[in-house]
Amino acid sequence: YPGCSVPGTWCDAHHLVWWCRGGGTDIMFLVLLCPRHHTLVHEQDLMATVTGSTVTWHV
């Protein structure tokens, strides 16, 4: 998430296509988010795109 400095070992895996929207668990469609930003992404229904190894959040 932009500006987040929480180490990846403290983060949760987030499904870019949510399970409730038909997404599956595929390593290519998972990103790491700290618990605070993971909650924010769900509360605000934020989307992201992945290009190579770069995740861009549409905030």
Side-chain angles (χ1 to χ4, degrees):
Y1 196 87
C4 185
S5 61
V6 173
T9 55
W10 295 1
C11 292
D12 305 322
H14 170 72
H15 294 79
L16 289 174
V17 179
W18 302 1
W19 279 345
C20 64
R21 296 179 181 165
T25 302
D26 183 328
I27 194 72
M28 298 300 294
F29 300 109
L30 297 175
V31 295
L32 294 178
L33 288 168
C34 74
R36 177 175 159 243
H37 288 120
H38 198 176
T39 299
L40 180 77
V41 163
H42 281 274
E43 287 178 348
Q44 296 186 6
D45 198 15
L46 299 177
M47 301 299 293
T49 52
V50 178
T51 306
S53 62
T54 303
V55 180
T56 304
W57 287 97
H58 307 284
V59 294

